[in-house]
Amino acid sequence: MQPNLMINDAEWDKLISDVAYYFEDLTLKRGFQYYKQNRVRSFRMISSRRVMAVVEGREDYAVSMELDSLTDSHCDCPVQGPCKHMAAVLMSVAESQERSVNMLANAKAVIDRKKAEALEAAAAAGVSGGRREQAKELAGLIPGATVEEWRNYMALLTAPLAQTVRNPHYAERALSAIAQAKADLPPGAELLFQLNAHLFILESLITPSGSHNAGSLSSFGYSLGYYTAIAVSELQEAITSLMKRSLPLASEPEAWPRLKDTLAHVQLEMLTESRDRLREQPYFSFCYDQLWQRWIAPNASDPALYLEELEALRERAGGLGAAVNRSALLLAESRMYFYLSDDKAAWERLAAASERPGLHPDELLGCLEPLAEAGHWSRLAAWLETTGPLLSSRLYNLHRYAGYWEEVVRRLPETEPRMWDTLSAMLPLSGDIYEGKLLDHGKWREWMDYQLSSGKEPSDFRVSDLQPVEKNAPELLLPFYHQAAERFVLEKNRHSYKAAVKLLKRLAKLYKKMKREERWAEFLDAFTGRHSRLRALQEELRKGKLIP
């Protein structure tokens, strides 16, 4: 983003304060859900203080946000004042500024937290000397401890917070408590310790009983509260950030045992995790995928590692019996076959997993990013062909999937027909990206055929949406406008007559652009004559200066 469009720290703090003051907490919650569902489209920062976007709701709503004065902002929706569409756009502002989206979504709690900082600081200063001594003692044990022992130490360090409400502030305090036992660890071990600390706190957030026994999440069809969900989301962001850092296993091979112990713990939680959250990937499934993609696969030169994991998955599943989630098992096996370059076996397991409920689309598309990063375009095309038709959720934004197709076609132009075949087979789910790509590739007739077959009307589009077709193939719009105008007239009411005249004026411009004014004059004479008895229509034609 251009430097002159960046929001400085003072402006960011003021925005949080203003959001907390003007928006209801429930409105922020709903706006955050809209943001997470990728409903914000056409996002543009006009300046560092003004933002425009379109938000998908019951229909598309145009939103204009004035960051210096939120009361001067506007949304086309029926709500008077701050609404969830405005809130969703503000979340996108935070993302574009690389600021914490969750902090903005939780603005009221953030402000309350700042007010309580003095009390918290006093409470922290009152930590007993005995607990400080315990933290110091544990710090001496951490360098030689196993992952299981680390987790036991973390339980001791966070025990005073056991009755604390599970929210973002709890997560911060728990991480701070674990940091009291700061140990001198090599870089690889330090990363693994930090990962396990975040996973430990993640479990304490999503496990109502507070138990940290592996596999304890399986029995809970538990719905998180709003503030707990915010904390979980922040932890996932932190875990993703941690795993983007390189794990130096080549120079620190002694870190492998701890890495494998961490994997075994995550594997068990992943296989027994509840999968009833349709809007986001299950927590430990996400961690499991990231662990392999970021840390293990880049350091694995021997395919035996993937074969060992396949065996471990099946052995663990056999021991869990009915407690194992079959979707999670199939997805994990698919990823191992992917790393073994056995794509057929990987696809078979993905197809079987896609038939089960509770599957998040990101889990079907998780192998696309590694292929794109490695530049394996031919293989990526095959994966796009196979995985796209497995998607069945309308809640998913397919623009990232479409972006991979663009990358493939740009490098391998001969794959373009395969892209069109795949996207057309995915209709109507792929409708938005299919339409967009038809326009991007100048397939004007195909685009118009799709609109007509979908029963679309010109009123379904903004004028700017139709400008590319109007500029490059105006003749295709003639039947589109003609048919719609006639349908409006048949409704026989003043509103529909106005809409018909509006379309006729657009038709007049098209005929003039095509230098077919005589044909337009003939049509207009026939049209007015055919509907001469409709006085209201004749009045609207005169108002529109189409007839004298």
Side-chain angles (χ1 to χ4, degrees):
M1 178 172 289
Q2 299 176 13
N4 62 341
L5 296 184
M6 298 302 290
I7 296 175
N8 61 38
D9 290 344
E11 292 169 335
W12 172 246
D13 290 341
K14 181 180 182 299
L15 180 61
I16 293 175
S17 179
D18 289 348
V19 167
Y21 181 80
Y22 287 113
F23 283 83
E24 295 292 335
D25 198 50
L26 182 60
T27 302
L28 290 175
K29 177 180 179 180
R30 289 172 174 169
F32 181 72
Q33 291 173 339
Y34 267 37
Y35 162 78
K36 292 284 282 185
Q37 294 164 14
N38 297 302
R39 291 176 182 255
V40 180
R41 310 283 176 84
S42 304
F43 177 86
R44 288 185 300 149
M45 291 201 72
I46 308 303
S47 70
S48 64
R49 316 309 302 145
R50 188 180 182 208
V51 179
M52 298 186 72
V54 174
V55 179
E56 178 189 348
R58 292 183 178 176
E59 56 185 82
D60 286 351
Y61 298 114
V63 179
S64 175
M65 298 300 300
E66 301 291 339
L67 302 186
D68 280 331
S69 178
L70 294 182
T71 54
D72 293 330
S73 301
H74 176 73
C75 177
D76 284 347
C77 75
V79 176
Q80 298 297 319
C83 64
K84 60 188 175 184
H85 310 106
M86 292 181 179
V89 173
L90 288 171
M91 309 300 167
S92 293
V93 170
E95 179 187 2
S96 72
Q97 297 289 319
E98 298 182 356
R99 302 278 185 172
S100 171
V101 173
N102 293 313
M103 183 178 289
L104 200 61
N106 199 22
K108 290 185 179 295
V110 169
I111 297 302
D112 291 341
R113 187 189 315 165
K114 288 182 177 180
K115 292 177 182 178
E117 278 181 352
L119 294 175
E120 293 293 341
V127 174
S128 68
R131 185 158 295 283
R132 282 196 294 267
E133 286 300 317
Q134 181 189 52
K136 184 176 179 180
E137 180 181 350
L138 292 178
L141 298 174
I142 284 173
T146 65
V147 168
E148 183 178 356
E149 289 168 338
W150 278 354
R151 295 175 65 81
N152 290 334
Y153 300 158
M154 291 171 191
L156 289 172
L157 291 164
T158 59
L161 304 175
Q163 303 305 316
T164 305
V165 175
R166 297 308 196 250
N167 58 20
H169 192 37
Y170 162 79
E172 291 176 9
R173 294 177 65 190
L175 283 171
S176 177
I178 292 173
Q180 290 180 25
K182 184 170 179 58
D184 187 14
L185 294 171
E190 175 65 24
L191 273 177
L192 287 168
F193 183 81
Q194 291 299 324
L195 173 62
N196 277 278
H198 282 77
L199 291 175
F200 178 88
I201 297 168
L202 177 64
E203 292 167 41
S204 70
L205 288 168
I206 63 181
T207 309
S209 65
S211 169
H212 284 83
N213 295 324
S216 61
L217 304 179
S218 60
S219 59
F220 297 101
Y222 166 65
S223 179
L224 300 180
Y226 174 60
Y227 294 109
T228 305
I230 294 289
V232 167
S233 181
E234 288 181 347
L235 277 172
Q236 284 189 298
E237 289 180 8
I239 288 171
T240 302
S241 180
L242 274 173
M243 291 188 181
K244 286 181 179 178
R245 296 164 60 183
S246 176
L247 187 66
L249 290 173
S251 59
E252 201 178 321
E254 63 273 16
W256 268 107
R258 281 175 173 153
L259 176 58
K260 289 184 176 180
D261 287 346
T262 303
L263 173 65
H265 177 79
V266 173
Q267 179 205 83
L268 177 56
E269 297 290 8
M270 176 268 299
L271 288 175
T272 56
E273 186 172 23
S274 173
R275 304 182 66 85
D276 58 354
R277 295 174 291 276
L278 299 180
R279 293 288 186 180
E280 57 189 15
Q281 185 175 355
Y283 308 122
F284 280 91
S285 169
F286 168 80
C287 294
Y288 183 81
D289 288 350
Q290 290 293 301
L291 200 58
W292 277 100
Q293 182 179 335
R294 302 294 181 185
W295 283 358
I296 302 178
N299 291 289
S301 57
D302 187 351
L305 188 62
Y306 308 121
L307 294 172
E308 289 174 7
E309 180 66 6
L310 278 170
E311 184 177 349
L313 284 166
R314 290 161 186 164
E315 182 178 346
R316 179 67 62 81
L320 290 170
V324 72
N325 186 289
R326 304 304 299 180
S327 295
L329 176 61
L330 288 166
L331 290 166
E333 289 181 345
S334 175
R335 183 168 284 275
M336 294 307 106
Y337 282 116
F338 165 77
Y339 287 125
L340 289 167
S341 297
D342 188 348
D343 289 344
K344 183 178 179 181
W347 295 337
E348 288 174 353
R349 282 152 181 81
L350 277 184
S354 70
E355 296 173 357
R356 296 172 175 269
L359 196 70
H360 190 271
D362 278 343
E363 297 180 288
L364 290 173
L365 304 178
C367 293
L368 303 185
E369 182 180 353
L371 291 174
E373 289 179 349
H376 297 162
W377 307 114
S378 180
R379 191 179 174 199
L380 177 56
W383 271 82
L384 288 166
E385 279 185 300
T386 303
T387 55
L390 299 179
L391 296 170
S392 59
S393 174
R394 289 186 173 274
L395 305 177
Y396 190 67
N397 188 333
L398 287 173
H399 288 282
R400 187 161 62 96
Y401 172 81
Y404 286 127
W405 264 122
E406 284 297 324
E407 291 292 322
V408 169
V409 170
R410 185 160 61 89
R411 291 168 173 84
L412 302 175
E414 66 274 14
T415 61
E416 183 175 340
R418 294 162 62 187
M419 177 184 74
W420 294 119
D421 289 345
T422 303
L423 293 179
S424 61
M426 292 169 62
L427 291 170
L429 183 68
S430 62
D432 287 346
I433 61 171
Y434 184 63
E435 290 183 59
K437 286 195 178 298
L438 287 173
L439 290 176
D440 292 342
H441 288 260
K443 293 182 176 291
W444 317 115
R445 183 170 297 282
E446 291 86 345
W447 183 86
M448 181 54 65
D449 289 344
Y450 178 72
Q451 307 312 322
L452 293 172
S453 66
S454 302
K456 294 286 185 67
E457 299 278 358
S459 57
D460 294 328
F461 301 92
R462 297 181 183 85
V463 174
S464 58
D465 294 336
L466 297 172
Q467 281 179 345
V469 184
E470 194 170 298
K471 177 181 178 181
N472 294 280
E475 70 281 357
L476 296 177
L477 290 173
L478 296 180
F480 194 40
Y481 288 168
H482 276 294
Q483 292 174 21
E486 294 290 353
R487 282 193 292 269
F488 279 129
V489 172
L490 290 175
E491 293 178 15
K492 294 185 178 180
N493 61 68
R494 179 73 68 168
H495 178 75
S496 63
Y497 291 156
K498 289 181 179 180
V501 169
K502 187 176 180 180
L503 278 178
L504 291 172
K505 292 174 74 171
R506 287 164 71 174
L507 270 172
K509 291 181 180 178
L510 280 181
Y511 276 106
K512 183 177 181 179
K513 180 177 182 178
M514 298 167 61
K515 299 181 179 180
R516 296 171 61 181
E517 289 91 339
E518 291 184 5
R519 178 70 185 87
W520 165 248
E522 292 174 4
F523 162 76
L524 188 58
D525 287 343
F527 180 86
T528 54
R530 189 166 63 254
H531 302 298
S532 59
R533 294 185 179 181
L534 301 176
R535 293 184 180 180
L537 174 60
Q538 297 293 321
E539 289 176 9
E540 294 301 328
L541 289 169
R542 292 188 187 94
K543 288 180 182 178
K545 299 181 180 180
L546 290 173
I547 61 175

